[in-house]
C-alpha cells in the first residue's frame, strides 16, 4: 500500500509540480502538505509501520521478523526525516 502512495507521488505529483513556476509549485506543495495530514493518511502511513512491527515481534527468529522490523523502522525514519528537512527549509527563509 505504501509503495503505491510513494509511486503515485513520484509519478504524478512531482511531474505536475515541475510544470509550474517555482513560486506556484511551492504554494501547491504547501497546500498538499496541509490537506494530506488527515487521520486516514496518518493511520495508513504509521499504521503500516505499526502492523509490520507487531508482526515482526509476534514471529521472532524468522526472515519475516527481520523484514517487518526493518520496514517499520524505515517507514517511520523516512517520515520523520522528510518532516525535518521540510522544517529546516522553512526556517532558512525566516529573517
Amino acid at each position: 500500500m505504501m509503495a503505491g502512495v510513494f509511486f503515485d507521488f513520484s509519478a504524478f505529483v512531482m511531474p505536475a509540480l515541475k510544470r509550474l513556476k517555482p513560486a506556484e509549485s511551492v504554494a501547491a506543495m504547501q497546500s498538499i502538505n496541509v490537506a494530506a495530514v488527515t487521520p486516514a493518511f496518518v493511520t495508513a502511513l504509521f499504521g503500516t509501520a505499526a502492523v509490520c512491527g507487531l508482526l515482526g515481534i509476534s514471529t521472532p527468529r524468522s526472515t519475516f521478523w527481520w523484514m517487518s522490523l526493518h520496514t517499520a523502522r524505515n517507514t517511520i525514519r523516512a517520515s520523520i526525516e522528510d518532516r525535518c528537512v521540510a522544517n529546516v527549509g522553512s526556517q532558512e527563509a525566516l529573517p
Side-chain angles (χ1 to χ4, degrees), residues 8 15-16 18 23 27 30-31 35-36 38 51 56 58 71 77-78 95:
D8 290 345
K18 196 172 188 176
Q30 288 174 341
S31 179
T38 63
V51 167
S58 68
T71 301
R77 182 184 55 82

Side-chain angles (χ1 to χ4, degrees), residues 48-54 67-77:
T48 304
V51 167
C52 286
L54 291 173
M67 289 178 9
S68 297
L69 289 182
H70 285 289
T71 301
R73 180 186 62 90
N74 289 339
T75 302
I76 293 170
R77 182 184 55 82

